[in-house]
Amino acid sequence: MIFLLDILTATLRNATPLVFGVVGETYTERAGILNLGIEGTMYAGAFFGFAATAVTGSLELGILAAIVVGVASGAVMGLFSVTLGTSQHVAGIGLTLGLIGISEFINRLYFGSSEGLRRIESYQLLEPFGPDNIFNQYALTYIAFLVVAPLGWWVLRSTSFGLGIRAVGENPEAADAAGLSVSLYRYAALMIGSALAAVGGAFITLATLGTFTLGIIAGRGWVVIALVIFGRWRIWRGVFGALVFAGVFSLQLRLRILPGWDAVPFELLLALPYLVVIAALAISGRNVEYPGAYLKPYRRD
Amino acid sequence: MTAAGDSPATPVVELRSISKRFGDVLANEGVNLSLWGGEVHGVLGENGAGKTTLMRILYGLSIPDGGEIYVDGDLAHFASPKDAIGAGIGMVTQHFALVRPMTVTENIILGRTGGAILDLDRAKDLVEEAADRYGLHVEPDRRLSDLSVGEQQRVEILKALYRECRVLILDEPTAVLTPQEIRALFATLDRLRASGMAIVFISHKLPEVMELTDRVTVLRHGKVVHTVETDEVDAAGLASWMVGRPAAPPEPRTHSEPGATALEVSDLSAVGGLDLPALSDVNFEVAAGEILGVAGVSGNGQTELAEVLSGMRKPTAGSIIADGTQIAGKGPKQVIAAGVGRIPEDRHEALVGDMSVANNLILEHLDEAGKRLILDRDRIRANALDLIERFSIKAGPDDLVKTLSGGNIQKVLLARVLVREPRVIVVSQPTRGLDIGATAYVRNELLAMRRQGAAIVLMSEDLDELLELSDRLIVLYDGRIAGRVDAAEADRDQLGLLMAGHTEVA
């Protein structure tokens, strides 16, 4: 019972950065842009959030720094994929490599020392119903599941802004003919999506770890990309995918320390959640209907 | 809005000496056009005459190099469709500007939602009201991808009305409609005209322009040839202005006695994209020296039928006997060897644009173009020069196919196929997008092949073309043959009903 409770609690915690990422990436992809910069954006969000908090001592300023870095990286992606119309693959991968490089460079300049990792006073768990239950989570986890996901879903479905996002991603010609600015909506989607992804990254440094280490994002950005496709660009399906991934991830962490499991190479267990994502994509990812203008820059000839 | 009959003092919109250049091509040069409330103004011209460019300028999608636009007598600048919409201009383009996964209502209110939060109920009421007033019936909650082409067009018109347009531009609106749908569209346009709207009707179909419009402007090579009251001209006059010379009368179709059966299709079934059934139990025969027309609204199995007949798609059941050979399930190479020639609907897909005319001309018979693996360049060139001469292709053997005009590309395709003297010819949309001259050339070539005894299956969305060329017609609906008609006795209304899915009329 404790074992199960433990895993469920860990699942919600480990799903949190993915939920931020999935909601954000769903916005950019519904607007027609595959943002492969998300891995780097999460990385930069984790680092700059940590750095701002380390310097100022304020966690709120850490979150703010992550948002600023996210919006800026969304704008850079927009410059390449919207304004200049370059290949989204190249722009996104370039952005990821660049952001990881910048983060590690600044980290080495200011926080790299031989005395070990610099720690910050991180977020504390909320315990609304006393100790030892599934609700013992960070505030950001509550925000992810109770604010970001439902609000993200509602805005996309029921507001003029959401309708515009969907229209520029499905048929930019139609949106243009209807008097909407395609580039404005695409920039907006990129900035919102990247800001959310950056906060997802900052969650790891500011809440769960309380420090920054190299390789901290460990492919979570790529997992988000896969989850958005698995979710067929529906926010709730994507969130469900995040829970499945985080569930398997948490399970393998616990299995590793269970007696009798030390015979299984831990690398194999570590690979398990990624294998689950691949399997889920292979099964549900066939014949999916991509947004109509996916990967296509828009030019009014 | 002004009521019909009143004569307003200024046109709703006036274009003055509009010019637009794309590279070396002058798409519009000094074009003047005035649109008055309560008139349907036809804009007539061949492909490439500059009709669409002019309308894109009027809708803010293109910025003119010179000239002015006046709205209600005041100078206006349209930097984007938003400005044009603000000035009361609405446009229904040939390729609909609609978002397929969205509902009718969502499409209509897109860009003019009237608030941060979507009020779909109010929008639905407006849609229903407009539907009642103008006879534009569509269900507001259906997804666009589930609608027929005619319904999608109604959504486009509703979209413009929802934006309170006073000028409605329709770019070739009848090209994709059945005769019944065309009649419904004309009835709607009549009501809109009566309510004081200015309507621009772009077309190259003369009878429709004669029937519907109050005035006509004819464009040729980007310039206005004439603007006249429709009552003061006849179709022949308009046609000669369009092409710049008296139109050649169509070659009279000689009666030819059909010979033995050259193509026999029995119980043919096939699946299309997403493995959905596309053809079910199709049966027909075509005799040598006969043209069988295949009519139908696009998407009812014509594409799949052409693909199956030419070996590009495997049937799931049935037999196809071409000139005595069973070709069902065979690949394109064996089908060509059996004497079947294919002129596919997408001519850009059948030729390699980045390769020369000469190389494209031998593409289906590479084994004859040299010794073993090595191509014989001289032979390829001689073959190309010969065909360029015989089919009067305006290009050299080394020109890349993608640099040719649509008419010349089609001639390259025709030459490649017809020079083999196929016993059976499968041809789809042979004149789509071609100008009058090229259209006449292609049709005459097909008639010549018929005289020489080829069995021809002709698929076309152009009912006039089918009636002009075919001996017999079959109508496809939902992958089945909905009816068979003798071309000589064909009645357009009856064909329209069959195309819309009504089974054989009693």
Side-chain angles (χ1 to χ4, degrees):
Chain A
M1 199 52 217
I2 294 291
F3 180 72
L4 191 65
L5 180 76
D6 211 27
I7 289 180
L8 288 177
T9 311
T11 297
L12 288 176
R13 186 174 65 244
N14 288 321
T16 302
L18 300 176
V19 169
F20 276 106
V22 161
V23 175
E25 184 72 13
T26 300
Y27 268 70
T28 61
E29 294 198 15
R30 286 300 282 270
I33 293 168
L34 170 67
N35 182 11
L36 292 179
I38 187 173
E39 174 84 7
T41 301
M42 290 182 83
Y43 202 95
F47 171 72
F48 284 100
F50 161 79
T53 301
V55 171
T56 65
S58 159
L59 289 162
E60 283 67 37
L61 285 180
I63 295 292
L64 188 67
I67 291 174
V68 169
V69 166
V71 168
S73 75
V76 172
M77 184 67 192
L79 176 69
F80 283 101
S81 63
V82 179
T83 306
L84 300 175
T86 57
S87 151
Q88 293 178 12
H89 295 105
V90 174
I93 289 172
L95 187 61
T96 285
L97 294 175
L99 287 172
I100 291 176
I102 289 170
S103 300
E104 293 188 350
F105 175 66
I106 298 177
N107 179 53
R108 183 163 302 180
L109 274 187
Y110 294 102
F111 303 100
S113 74
S114 49
E115 298 148 32
L117 293 172
R118 170 88 169 263
R119 299 211 142 264
I120 52 164
E121 198 70 35
S122 61
Y123 277 109
Q124 298 300 304
L125 288 170
L126 305 179
E127 298 189 353
F129 304 106
D132 291 333
N133 66 55
I134 193 175
F135 297 101
N136 293 357
Q137 300 287 355
Y138 298 104
L140 282 173
T141 302
Y142 280 93
I143 290 172
F145 284 95
L146 299 182
V147 180
V148 170
L151 192 67
W153 168 78
W154 179 80
V155 166
L156 205 50
R157 193 192 66 131
S158 304
T159 67
S160 302
F161 177 70
L163 186 70
I165 295 269
R166 287 185 279 143
V168 300
E170 287 291 347
N171 188 346
E173 289 82 7
D176 191 12
L180 300 181
S181 164
V182 176
S183 47
L184 199 69
Y185 275 90
R186 289 190 163 174
Y187 264 100
L190 272 168
M191 289 179 177
I192 291 170
S194 300
L196 287 172
V199 172
F203 172 80
I204 298 168
T205 47
L206 301 185
T208 48
L209 283 186
T211 187
F212 176 81
T213 61
L214 297 185
I216 192 167
I217 297 302
R220 283 185 181 84
W222 309 134
V223 170
V224 164
I225 302 270
L227 291 175
V228 169
I229 297 171
F230 168 79
R232 302 186 177 189
W233 299 274
R234 302 286 184 278
I235 282 177
W236 288 116
R237 281 187 60 131
V239 168
F240 170 73
L243 286 169
V244 171
F245 177 86
V248 180
F249 185 82
S250 309
L251 177 71
Q252 61 88 20
L253 279 180
R254 296 303 177 283
L255 285 181
R256 273 197 246 171
I257 52 169
L258 223 56
W261 282 77
D262 45 2
V264 183
F266 84 91
E267 291 89 346
L268 202 65
L269 290 172
L270 194 61
L272 198 61
Y274 300 91
L275 293 174
V276 168
V277 168
I278 293 171
L281 268 185
I283 294 164
S284 76
R286 286 186 301 171
N287 293 330
V288 297
E289 224 175 283
Y290 283 75
Y294 204 55
L295 298 176
K296 289 181 198 143
Y298 177 64
R299 282 274 179 282
R300 192 195 287 164
D301 50 40
Chain B
M1 283 186 187
T2 45
D6 288 3
S7 49
T10 47
V12 186
V13 169
E14 192 179 356
L15 299 175
R16 284 193 204 155
S17 44
I18 295 287
S19 295
K20 177 75 184 177
R21 175 185 285 279
F22 293 109
D24 293 337
V25 182
L26 262 175
N28 285 147
E29 191 180 357
V31 173
N32 294 308
L33 184 71
S34 54
L35 305 170
W36 298 81
E39 77 163 346
V40 177
H41 194 121
V43 175
L44 199 61
E46 293 204 75
N47 288 300
K51 296 170 296 192
T52 300
T53 302
L54 189 64
M55 292 307 130
R56 286 176 63 87
I57 288 171
L58 182 50
Y59 195 59
L61 282 165
S62 236
I63 313 292
D65 300 329
E68 293 109 42
I69 301 173
Y70 293 85
V71 178
D72 295 324
D74 299 323
L75 186 62
H77 286 285
F78 295 164
S80 77
K82 200 174 180 162
D83 301 335
I85 293 167
I89 294 167
M91 177 147 90
V92 179
T93 47
Q94 252 174 306
H95 301 285
F96 300 139
L98 296 169
V99 186
R100 292 176 59 78
M102 289 187 184
T103 66
V104 169
T105 312
E106 284 179 325
N107 265 285
I108 288 172
I109 64 174
L110 179 64
R112 195 174 193 272
T113 39
I117 297 168
L118 300 178
D119 187 353
L120 292 175
D121 290 333
R122 194 181 68 95
K124 250 182 255 178
D125 291 345
L126 285 168
V127 169
E128 276 163 7
E129 187 205 308
D132 287 344
R133 256 171 69 194
Y134 302 110
L136 294 158
H137 295 287
V138 275
E139 289 167 49
D141 288 325
R142 288 183 67 193
R143 265 166 58 119
L144 250 289
S145 45
D146 297 335
L147 300 186
S148 72
V149 176
E151 287 172 311
Q152 292 184 29
Q153 188 178 63
R154 276 175 248 158
V155 176
E156 279 280 40
I157 296 174
L158 281 171
K159 234 169 93 179
L161 295 180
Y162 179 71
R163 287 164 175 70
E164 288 160 18
C165 71
R166 298 175 301 151
V167 178
L168 180 62
I169 307 164
L170 298 148
D171 193 356
E172 309 241 350
T174 61
V176 291
L177 301 183
T178 65
Q180 280 79 6
E181 286 174 322
I182 292 175
R183 202 156 308 146
L185 171 68
F186 281 14
T188 296
L189 295 182
D190 274 335
R191 286 191 220 181
L192 291 172
R193 164 165 51 192
S195 77
M197 191 171 294
I199 297 168
V200 181
F201 183 82
I202 302 175
S203 182
H204 58 233
K205 293 187 182 170
L206 294 168
E208 289 174 0
V209 171
M210 294 301 297
E211 179 188 338
L212 183 71
T213 63
D214 303 297
R215 291 196 300 153
V216 193
T217 293
V218 181
L219 290 177
R220 189 171 76 239
H221 300 322
K223 292 182 202 158
V224 174
V225 184
H226 285 291
T227 296
V228 289
E229 303 275 330
T230 310
D231 295 341
E232 292 167 8
V233 284
D234 58 13
L238 289 176
S240 65
W241 287 341
M242 267 167 79
V243 296
R245 57 186 139 76
E251 203 165 295
R253 190 174 55 171
T254 51
H255 183 76
S256 80
E257 206 53 52
T261 299
L263 178 71
E264 193 177 350
V265 172
S266 344
D267 303 324
L268 190 68
S269 296
V271 293
L274 299 173
D275 285 344
L276 297 172
L279 291 173
S280 316
D281 298 322
V282 171
N283 289 286
F284 62 83
E285 292 175 358
V286 191
E290 185 184 43
I291 298 183
L292 176 78
V294 180
V297 178
S298 72
N300 277 290
Q302 299 95 315
T303 306
E304 288 82 2
L305 179 60
E307 286 172 352
V308 168
L309 290 180
S310 52
M312 301 290 285
R313 181 182 288 277
K314 285 205 188 326
T316 49
S319 103
I320 307 167
I321 296 173
D323 204 21
T325 314
Q326 174 64 252
I327 57 165
K330 300 272 167 55
K333 198 180 169 81
Q334 291 142 301
V335 170
I336 292 170
V340 179
R342 169 179 84 103
I343 299 164
E345 66 179 87
D346 185 350
R347 60 186 78 103
H348 298 279
E349 221 164 73
L351 296 170
V352 184
D354 283 309
M355 271 171 32
S356 69
V357 170
N359 284 341
N360 270 286
L361 283 171
I362 51 121
L363 211 50
E364 281 186 349
H365 298 280
L366 283 175
D367 46 344
E368 294 167 24
K371 282 179 191 149
R372 296 206 187 86
L373 292 175
I374 296 157
L375 295 175
D376 182 343
R377 298 204 170 274
D378 293 337
R379 202 195 298 181
I380 292 170
R381 199 180 163 79
N383 173 60
L385 288 171
D386 175 37
L387 292 181
I388 284 170
E389 167 83 32
R390 274 165 65 188
F391 288 87
S392 41
I393 301 167
K394 288 192 195 104
D398 300 323
D399 291 344
L400 298 186
V401 161
K402 69 176 179 192
T403 63
L404 271 52
S405 73
N408 280 307
I409 289 177
Q410 191 70 321
K411 283 181 185 176
V412 171
L413 250 181
L414 276 176
R416 186 171 84 185
V417 172
L418 300 189
V419 72
R420 317 292 304 183
E421 297 182 352
R423 304 292 304 142
V424 176
I425 301 172
V426 180
V427 51
S428 298
Q429 321 296 347
T431 62
R432 182 151 74 190
L434 301 188
D435 61 30
I436 290 183
T439 298
Y441 181 89
V442 169
R443 290 181 181 168
N444 286 336
E445 281 298 320
L446 290 176
L447 289 173
M449 290 309 289
R450 170 176 168 272
R451 275 196 302 278
Q452 289 167 31
I456 300 176
V457 182
L458 169 68
M459 333 225 171
S460 180
E461 277 161 32
D462 183 345
L463 213 46
D464 296 319
E465 174 166 275
L466 286 174
L467 290 170
E468 187 185 324
L469 297 178
S470 314
D471 299 290
R472 288 184 299 125
L473 287 166
I474 58 174
V475 182
L476 279 184
Y477 179 78
D478 203 16
R480 294 170 191 279
I481 296 186
R484 299 165 196 270
V485 190
D486 235 24
E489 298 154 14
D491 159 17
R492 300 179 64 93
D493 288 333
Q494 186 198 358
L495 282 173
L497 287 170
L498 292 171
M499 285 162 68
H502 298 269
T503 39
E504 200 87 58
V505 191

